Amino acid sequence: MSLKYMEEYRDADIARSLVEKIKASSKSKIRLMEVCGTHTVSIFRSGIRSVLPETIALLSGPGCPVCVTDQKEIDAFVALARVDNAILTTFGDLVRVPGTVSSLQKEKAEGRDVRVVYSTMDAIDLAVKHPDREVIFPGVGFETTAPTIAAAIKTAQQMKLANFSVYAAHKTVPRALDTLMSSELTGIDGFILPGHVSLVIGTYAYEPFFQAHHTPCVVAGFEPADILQAIWMLVEQIENQTPQLSNAYGRAVTSAGNEKAQALLDEVFETSDVAWRGIGVIPQSGLVIRDLFAAFDAGKKFDLVLPEPIEPKGCACGEILTGVKTPPDCPLYKTRCTPMDPVGACMVSSEGTCAAYYRYHG
Amino acid sequence: MKKPDKIILDHGSGGKISHHLTTEFILPIFNNPILADLDDGAIFTIGQERFAFSTDTYTVDPIFFPGGSIGDLAINGTVNDVTMCGATPLYLSVGLILEEGFPIHDFEKVMDEMGRAAAQAGVKVVTGDTKVVPKGAADKIFINTSGIGIIPKGIDVCSKNARVGDKIILSGTLADHGVTILTQREGLTFDAPVRSDSAPLNQMVKKMFAAGHAIHTLRDPTRGGAGTALNEIAQNANVGIRIEETMIPVKPEVSGICELLGFDPLYLANEGKLIAFVGPADADAVLAVMQEDEFGKDACIIGEVTAENPGQVFMETRIGGLRIVDMLTGEQLPRIC
């Protein structure tokens, strides 16, 4: 997307007129959840909360990939960094997340070869460059990131790269929405659905969820005006009692999504029950590597000895990720847990709810 | 904050974690009032003259990048640090740590660029030292420079001097250097026309002082970016700062890369920019001379100092919202999606 396009969606006049529309329409008190961490940050950065009427509460959901990565998975990444002769390549925001005994950042300080890369293909390049080393990639992320990792696995297979592997810890969004609605505590009146994820899976992927719950859902882009547009649509649907599954990000998201990416996901991964940090196991919400590609599955390739995971005491990550609590409700927030010395993953990633609250004093 | 058991990269980020290392482990050892100010350089008096003295160590990967190299960075950085104390930088020292095997051709190139930068800034390198360490004990070349300058009579700038009503002038676009380095590192193959802004600012500052006397604070927002620099000033002077998002210049290509990686240009490094706090009566005159200088063409007023919220920085956003601008914590890391 050109920057000019983004500037337009940040345009103050468009945003201000949307705020007026929201104020005019919003009567009853409602709770809206932005599922995606990029939305959370955009809402803080543009000061959206400060322009909304008091009737609207915005909750941050479980859509920061680092935040929902289970402690056991972080422990596995640490164990992989310790594999003899390994280069552990990772996306940047994973390195600070504390596992049970260590973090990738600490392992790097201990002298393990942990390298931040910007794409899985960079990890492939490293594997080609260093045929005598084991290049391992922790596959973390939602439907947005998973296709690129599937593509890397396929590339590695085509290139017969025996020294490249992925530890897949991917999660998918629609199933998590079901879990959020099944908790009576959350009381969510409407969802701002993630733009990037929807670009891949299409709006149709949310149909089963919408048919089951009839909760208003709007797919949104990431500029302030995109988010305000989605909030206005949700307010209208709630006030008029006309719940819909709608798309406010039509310039990028279609009903069918990116079918090529979906096919790639299906070829390399299969769904499985996985644990989300603080939330627990959500059935069929994970993507694991199919047997056909087992040679590239780091979980199978290396014999990992993992510590018994000890969840940090008092950390309210789970309740924060589901909108039951906000970060200031957590006893550790700003005291024992800060971005300088995080306890939970929500305080680590720049897109984590606690880190965003901390940074912008939410 | 818990006592760390090892140095991690975040200790060098210029944000809160670096600050903790400085204040908890270094300051108590060398405890003295000149150091305790923690400004860009030390300001002290010998005889009748006031001096500014500053030191900085440069490690950058890659050592050559569009718009500069570790050589001109090492000269410009120290020239600017001395300049931000209100001083005219005069003499520099250069300490070199070279890794065994470093190509002599690259060494010559770095020295050339240091020489050119020193000539451009009008400073003399008067002393130096060279060490060579075994391969792997350093990464190609590390450079330390120290600089000393005289503060002309009548000039008194430091972060504590910012006062309510001051206009905040930024000399140009943010994050050019930070984004350039990011795009040059291994693994990020952007084909974007971004260049480091590495430049000496002493000539422009000289003209600024000639145009207006009410310059209270100068700061070059290097590591940690403008967001961290503004927070330090707000805390040291115990004043509030309010800036406007729409007034902050960022090049479209820089902004685009930041969008993609989830970086905030407010926290990325600049190597040829300054922030000036100027009394309202003199602000327009100071701004005008900056805009005439080659390193201040895009200068503009981005906000002002307020009595409300002392110690904090607030930004009015493009959509009319208000948000806090905090100090950087550790190094910004690219996000997953």
Side-chain angles (χ1 to χ4, degrees), chain A residues 173-320:
Chain A
V173 169
R175 290 286 183 150
L177 298 177
D178 273 316
T179 303
L180 290 170
M181 286 310 290
S182 64
S183 163
E184 286 171 9
L185 295 168
T186 51
I188 298 164
D189 299 300
F191 285 101
I192 300 169
L193 294 178
H196 294 147
V197 164
S198 305
L199 202 135
V200 174
I201 64 177
T203 53
Y204 91 99
Y206 303 104
E207 272 297 340
F209 166 73
F210 180 74
Q211 292 308 331
H213 302 280
H214 287 282
T215 305
C217 289
V218 178
V219 173
F222 297 94
E223 297 307 317
D226 285 323
I227 296 170
L228 287 166
Q229 169 78 23
I231 292 173
W232 178 56
M233 288 165 77
L234 287 169
V235 168
E236 288 276 304
Q237 291 179 26
I238 296 164
E239 291 294 338
N240 300 327
Q241 295 179 347
T242 50
Q244 285 169 46
L245 166 58
S246 36
N247 183 3
Y249 197 23
R251 66 184 189 280
V253 173
T254 61
S255 161
N258 181 340
E259 288 168 273
K260 219 171 147 184
Q262 292 167 25
L264 193 59
L265 281 179
D266 192 47
E267 185 183 348
V268 176
F269 297 120
E270 58 189 333
T271 56
S272 116
D273 298 354
V274 293
W276 293 49
R277 188 189 181 99
I279 298 176
V281 173
I282 302 180
Q284 298 302 302
S285 69
L287 296 175
V288 294
I289 297 172
R290 286 185 187 276
D291 282 342
L292 199 61
F293 295 90
F296 304 96
D297 188 337
K300 292 186 177 138
K301 187 169 181 179
F302 303 104
D303 194 15
L304 302 177
V305 184
L306 302 184
E308 194 53 41
I310 307 166
E311 296 279 344
K313 267 193 194 134
C315 174
C317 260
E319 287 155 303
I320 289 164

Side-chain angles (χ1 to χ4, degrees), chain B residues 105-262:
Chain B
H105 174 260
D106 286 350
F107 179 65
E108 281 181 302
K109 207 168 149 196
V110 171
M111 288 302 111
D112 255 7
E113 299 198 0
M114 287 188 90
R116 208 172 314 139
Q120 188 187 11
V123 294
K124 289 193 170 63
V125 173
V126 291
T127 183
D129 177 54
T130 305
K131 295 280 185 291
V132 178
V133 296
K135 197 162 185 61
D139 185 14
K140 300 180 195 76
I141 176 169
F142 295 160
I143 305 178
N144 173 275
T145 54
S146 296
I148 192 158
I150 295 180
I151 304 174
K153 299 266 177 298
I155 288 178
D156 180 20
V157 295
C158 72
S159 59
K160 279 184 190 154
N161 290 0
R163 59 189 80 161
V164 174
D166 276 356
K167 298 287 178 195
I168 303 169
I169 306 176
L170 172 65
S171 68
T173 52
L174 284 187
D176 297 354
H177 178 75
V179 162
T180 303
I181 296 301
L182 272 173
T183 55
Q184 297 301 310
R185 288 213 175 130
E186 187 183 22
L188 191 62
T189 41
F190 272 116
D191 192 16
V194 289
R195 291 172 66 79
S196 168
D197 56 352
S198 173
L201 300 171
N202 50 332
Q203 314 291 355
M204 180 170 76
V205 169
K206 201 171 168 185
K207 291 183 226 160
M208 289 165 64
F209 278 116
H213 293 294
I215 299 174
H216 299 138
T217 303
L218 289 172
R219 183 57 75 99
D220 57 338
T222 51
R223 200 176 50 162
T228 302
L230 289 170
N231 268 283
E232 282 169 0
I233 295 167
Q235 284 165 21
N236 289 353
N238 198 31
V239 292
I241 286 177
R242 192 169 166 127
I243 55 174
E244 278 179 57
E245 186 175 22
T246 51
M247 295 309 295
I248 298 173
V250 181
K251 289 200 180 102
E253 54 274 27
V254 169
S255 173
I257 291 168
C258 287
E259 288 284 341
L260 215 62
L261 295 173

Side-chain angles (χ1 to χ4, degrees), chain A residues 7 10 12 15-16 45-46 50 92-93 96 105 108 110 118 122 129 339-341 351 358-360, chain B residues 1-2 6 10 17 182 186-187 259 317-324 326 329 331 333-336:
Chain A
E7 290 292 323
R10 264 176 215 167
R16 282 178 189 164
R45 270 176 73 164
S46 55
S50 70
D93 45 0
R96 291 198 189 108
Q105 190 177 44
K108 186 171 156 70
E110 291 282 351
Y118 298 89
D122 297 334
K129 229 179 184 177
M340 286 75 79
D341 190 12
E351 306 212 328
Y358 187 95
R359 194 159 5 118
Y360 301 108
Chain B
M1 208 184 304
K2 214 170 59 184
K6 282 207 167 61
D10 281 339
I17 295 179
L182 272 173
E186 187 183 22
E259 288 284 341
T317 66
R318 209 174 284 268
I319 64 159
L322 199 62
R323 64 120 152 150
I324 200 157
D326 199 359
T329 304
E331 231 179 321
L333 294 169
R335 61 166 180 224
I336 289 179

